[in-house]
Structure formats: C-alpha cells, structure tokens
Amino acid sequence: MTAAIIAPSRLRLGLAVLAVGAFSAFGTPAQARGPEGIADVAEKVIDAVVNISTSQTVEAKGGGSNSMPQLPPGSPFEEFFDDFFKNRKGPGGGSKGGDNGPPKKTNSLGSGFIIDTSGVVVTNNHVIADADEINVILNDGTKIKAELVGVDKKTDLAVLKFKSPKPLVSVKFGDSDKLRLGDWVVAIGNPFSLGGTVTAGIVSAKNRDISSGPYDSYIQTDAAINRGNSGGPLFNLDGDVIGVNTLIISPSGGSIGIGFAVPSKTVAGVVDQLRQFGELRRGWLGVRIQSVTDEIAESLNIKPPRGALVAGIDDKGPAKPAGIEPGDVVVKFDGKDVKDPKDLSRVVADTAVGKEVDVVIIRKGEEQTKKVTLGRLQDPDKVQAAVKSDEPAPEKPVTQKALGLDLAALNKDLRTRYKIKESVKGVVVTNVDANSDAAEKRLSAGDVIVEVAQEAVSSGADIQKRVDQLKKDGKKSVLLLVSNADGELRFVALSVQ
C-alpha cells in the first residue's frame, strides 16, 4: 500500500499534488511568487529522491479474462478500467468471466530518499507494509531490489537498503526545530506514479497534533502532495531534508493544501536506531498521565494550568522508586518544559534508555525535583481494559448521596457485583445522576473513589465531609482520584457548587 487519504472525519495516511494559479482582475499573474532558489534546490537533490515499488500476493476476485488488471493506485488508467469492468459484472456483482482465479500480485508505488551513498533509503512504513517484494527505482529509471532494515509503526517510518551498480547521490537531515512559519519548503516525490515531481509551498504550522499516533508533532505545509508522495522528502531551501511527507487531509483524495510531514528531528532519531538495532528503543517513565484541566489546576493550586498529571504508577516502572506519586504534575523533564501530556510522551520516548534525568513535579502546590533512571518501553504496549458487570447484587447496599453520586463502602458483595479487584480500596459508586457534573465527566457505577482532595476515603460520609470543607474554603471544585475495577487510576474534577 502506497498511501491513504485523510478525510475531514477520519485522519488517514496519504499525500497529493495540486497546481494553483493566482490572477488579478485584469488576467495578469498576481505578484505573489516563490523564491528564486527552488530550481537550484530541485536540481541539487532530485537524484537522491527515489520511487518505492512494492508487490504483494493477494487472493484474486472475479478471475477470468474479464478481471480488472492490477494497476498502481493513482494510475491515470485506474478510473477508466474501474468503470469499464464494473459495467461488465454479471448478476450479483460477479464477473462474467468465471470464478475466483489463482492468487495475483498487486503493485503499489510510493516515494523515498537516499541518506547514505551505500544505499540507505528512508520512506513511510505504510508504503512498504505487508509487501512481498520491495524495489527502489532511481531517478534515471534503474530498478533495484531492496531489503527492509526496520520499521517504526508509531511514527510511520521505515528504512531500506539496496546495492547500486552506480554511484549514488544522498541528502542530509536539516534542523526542523529552526523552521519558522512561512518558510518556503519543497516536496519531491512520485504522485500518481508520475515520478520526480517537484512542488513548493510554505510551512503552515509546526508541532501539529492530529491524533494519528502517540508522538504526533507534524510540520503542516501547503506544498502540493498526493497519492504516491508518501515517504518522500520535504526540503528547506538549503536542500536539507526537514520532514517526511506522510499525511494529508482531503475530502476528495486530492490536495487541498493541508499536508503533514514528520519533522526531521524525529526522523533522524528513529532512523539512527533502526539502522543500529533494527527496532526502536524508547525511554519509559512508567506512569499513566492525563491533561491538567482548568478545574484540576484550580484544585491543585497550579497557575496557569500546565503539565502532565500523573494518574497512575507502574509498580515495576522507574517512576515509583524515584518517588513520583499519583497526583503529581510533571512540568519539566530533563530540562525541557512540559506543557501537556503529549509533550511528556514525546520527550520521554526520545530520551535514551538508562539515562538519569531530572523530573520537576508540582506536589500540593510546591515544586520538587526527582531523579529518574529511564527504563525501556516495551512494544506492543499492554493496556488492560476495565471489566464491569450490570448484574444486580443480592441486597441493596446502604448508600449516601454526594456530588450527584450514590456512594457505598466496599464490601464482598459489591466487589463481586462490579468485579473489583481486592487491591482497590475506597468508596464505590453505585449510581450516577444523569444530570450531574459526574455524569458529564463519565463516572459510572462500579468506579471507586480512592481519594478526595488527595486524602484517602473509605465511606460516603468521608466524601461528604471533605466536600463540605471545600465549600467552606471557597473552592469551586473537588479533585477525585478514581479507580476502575482493574485498579487503573484517573483524576476527575467535579463542581462542588
């Protein structure tokens, strides 16, 4: 698969090319124009940009002489043949030519670029995913079989290697951190199987999070990029690679001027590890984190709201022996400011395994510094889902109402009803008022309130007492530490008004 397209309702992988002309009311070209250096950049780097051709064996559908030929996605003939063979299908949608034939090979095309004259190529993982055979096609048309060095699915990057019978041209990574909004950039790739296509645009945004992965920090550009451009380089005007074109947002499959590239700072680190180890070795802190909302910030006396709130600690992770606790807010990691959970996830992942770092936290309104020696993040991540039951208990427990919740002390019957682990301590929620703030924050029956305002509770009366005190103190919200049945923790701020 070479690429996919990102519709507004669903972000998916893909890229596109679009020619745009601007004219004045009198039909003359508008004054806006690109810099003179684009041609020099293209001429300098074009031979380092390659096409990636892959083939995959798939089960044939509707075999016989009437089956549609296999074409690269985006081929100019794809739409023609698609319409032609749809019209030749028999009743029920089957081909008139007979039953399914033998397995066939499908071909797809993408882009890549050479970073080492020994024959090392960078591309997108989705360009070569599930391929039986991978070939690199040089700018002069030479086709050479390539081997896979390694992939990183979380950043959608892959490294290939091949042996060339002729000298190669390579490009180097630039510093994506130095990019400014409005800087000119040049994209080169293989849109719609056309090969060696150059387009230009500007940097529209930096550090863009489009929720496509855990480490999103894309460069957004209006440079035209399309199907087949995936894995191709995004250059600055010095001819350095400052990104790998990976995604677009498009309602139609064509470019609308919103494309995304993985920044070179991320790419360079991933490529180094893939070349060295064949896999990624990311740092691991051993915490579960969530956003610091305005309500949570008010409850924790954090002004302005910032950082990553620690909701849970892995018993075997490096954060626990370092003294980090649930309720701590991480505001700085290894000298880098942490504005939100994504910041922390990215900087931890980019930090070397085994490195000792300073982690600055806010605990009960005061900053503290903890020294942590990072572990290694295991892949795939193991996530346990909460298991809940709606089966009624034999007897209705004694409950107390507070914060729109029906609350009861944990006992054997309630643990059985909601399948709550023995390690979970606190006050169980047995019902939630549908019109309450608690319902909006997605609290539900079977959740267990472990702490109120960072103090442990064991009964509904404990909770009501803490809420009454907070009201007297003029607080607008109360911070709850909530556990699910499996013991996974999260913080929830509820209004006390």
Side-chain angles (χ1 to χ4, degrees):
M1 181 170 97
T2 58
I5 299 170
I6 313 172
S9 59
R10 182 185 177 195
L11 297 177
R12 299 175 57 201
L13 301 175
L15 301 171
V17 173
L18 180 66
V20 180
F23 295 89
S24 71
F26 300 97
T28 58
Q31 294 302 311
R33 58 187 295 179
E36 299 292 340
I38 289 178
D40 294 333
V41 173
E43 185 176 355
K44 174 182 176 182
V45 303
I46 188 68
D47 287 334
V49 182
V50 300
N51 299 340
I52 307 295
S53 171
T54 66
S55 62
Q56 179 183 3
T57 303
V58 297
E59 182 179 350
K61 294 182 179 180
S65 61
N66 291 320
S67 61
M68 179 174 171
Q70 302 298 321
L71 300 169
S75 167
F77 298 102
E78 185 177 29
E79 185 176 352
F80 168 77
F81 280 110
D82 188 43
D83 290 340
F84 177 78
F85 278 93
K86 278 182 180 178
N87 292 332
R88 294 177 64 87
K89 288 181 179 178
S95 173
K96 294 179 181 179
D99 297 327
N100 289 353
K104 294 187 175 182
K105 282 191 175 184
T106 61
N107 300 315
S108 60
L109 292 169
S111 305
F113 55 98
I114 300 169
I115 61 168
D116 191 312
T117 54
S118 65
V120 179
V121 171
V122 176
T123 186
N124 278 143
N125 172 59
H126 74 265
V127 169
I128 52 84
D130 302 319
D132 298 322
E133 183 177 305
I134 305 171
N135 288 283
V136 169
I137 304 174
L138 303 180
N139 189 45
D140 63 4
T142 303
K143 186 175 181 179
I144 308 169
K145 188 174 181 180
E147 297 178 10
L148 182 63
V149 175
V151 303
D152 178 39
K153 295 180 180 179
K154 291 184 178 179
T155 54
D156 193 22
L157 295 171
V159 175
L160 312 174
K161 65 178 181 179
F162 70 101
K163 293 182 179 180
S164 173
K166 59 184 69 177
L168 297 172
V169 175
S170 65
V171 288
K172 62 185 179 68
F173 290 113
D175 189 349
S176 54
D177 284 348
K178 292 182 179 180
L179 284 177
R180 299 183 302 164
L181 298 184
D183 276 350
W184 280 89
V185 289
V186 178
I188 304 180
N190 184 31
F192 299 108
S193 306
L194 295 174
T197 300
V198 180
T199 57
I202 63 169
V203 174
S204 305
K206 295 176 59 179
N207 303 317
R208 184 68 83 194
D209 181 359
I210 57 175
S211 300
S212 68
Y215 309 118
D216 280 13
S217 184
Y218 290 107
I219 299 167
Q220 182 180 326
T221 178
D222 66 352
I225 45 182
N226 256 304
R227 290 177 184 260
N229 272 103
S230 288
L234 188 69
F235 293 101
N236 60 21
L237 294 187
D238 292 325
D240 297 332
V241 178
I242 45 83
V244 176
N245 300 318
T246 302
L247 305 166
I248 62 168
I249 291 177
S250 174
S252 63
S255 173
I256 59 171
I258 304 178
F260 302 96
V262 183
S264 60
K265 182 178 180 181
T266 298
V267 179
V270 170
V271 169
D272 284 346
Q273 289 204 35
L274 291 179
R275 294 182 68 180
Q276 185 175 354
F277 307 116
E279 62 179 356
L280 260 290
R281 299 182 179 182
R282 290 190 167 94
W284 178 52
L285 187 57
V287 298
R288 287 191 304 104
I289 52 179
Q290 65 183 76
S291 298
V292 179
T293 64
D294 290 340
E295 293 173 316
I296 290 176
E298 191 267 342
S299 300
L300 295 175
N301 296 317
I302 298 176
K303 297 179 182 179
R306 65 190 190 280
L309 177 61
V310 178
I313 302 289
D314 191 304
D315 286 338
K316 297 181 180 179
K320 186 170 184 177
I324 296 176
E325 301 174 356
D328 291 342
V329 176
V330 180
V331 294
K332 186 171 289 188
F333 182 93
D334 198 20
K336 302 176 181 66
D337 290 334
V338 175
K339 298 178 182 179
D340 55 43
K342 279 281 189 180
D343 280 348
L344 183 60
S345 296
R346 286 191 289 261
V347 69
V348 171
D350 290 342
T351 304
V353 176
K355 182 179 180 180
E356 184 180 72
V357 298
D358 287 337
V359 181
V360 179
I361 62 170
I362 297 178
R363 179 181 295 173
K364 295 184 178 180
E366 296 183 357
E367 283 195 2
Q368 299 181 21
T369 299
K370 304 291 184 181
K371 288 192 175 295
V372 182
T373 301
L374 287 192
R376 180 183 173 186
L377 179 65
Q378 297 300 313
D379 195 20
D381 299 329
K382 295 181 179 180
V383 181
Q384 294 182 337
V387 179
K388 298 180 180 179
S389 172
D390 295 324
E391 296 179 3
E395 296 181 6
K396 188 175 181 179
V398 177
T399 61
Q400 179 168 340
K401 290 184 177 294
L403 300 169
L405 304 169
D406 288 356
L407 304 163
L410 268 173
N411 57 33
K412 184 177 180 180
D413 287 341
L414 290 173
R415 286 190 186 277
T416 300
R417 180 198 294 191
Y418 297 113
K419 298 182 180 179
I420 299 170
K421 287 185 175 180
E422 288 294 328
S423 59
V424 177
K425 309 295 181 183
V427 181
V428 66
V429 176
T430 59
N431 187 56
V432 181
D433 185 340
N435 298 317
S436 67
D437 188 30
E440 291 186 8
K441 299 295 174 58
R442 298 184 180 181
L443 285 174
S444 60
D447 283 337
V448 177
I449 298 175
V450 179
E451 293 181 358
V452 175
Q454 296 185 288
E455 291 188 10
V457 291
S458 59
S459 67
D462 287 347
I463 294 176
Q464 187 62 61
K465 182 179 178 181
R466 294 292 300 144
V467 171
D468 290 342
Q469 184 60 50
L470 290 169
K471 286 182 178 180
K472 289 180 181 179
D473 294 340
K475 297 292 186 181
K476 297 179 181 179
S477 60
V478 57
L479 187 65
L480 308 181
L481 180 60
V482 181
S483 173
N484 66 10
D486 286 333
E488 292 182 346
L489 302 171
R490 72 184 190 278
F491 284 94
V492 179
L494 299 181
S495 172
V496 297
Q497 303 302 318

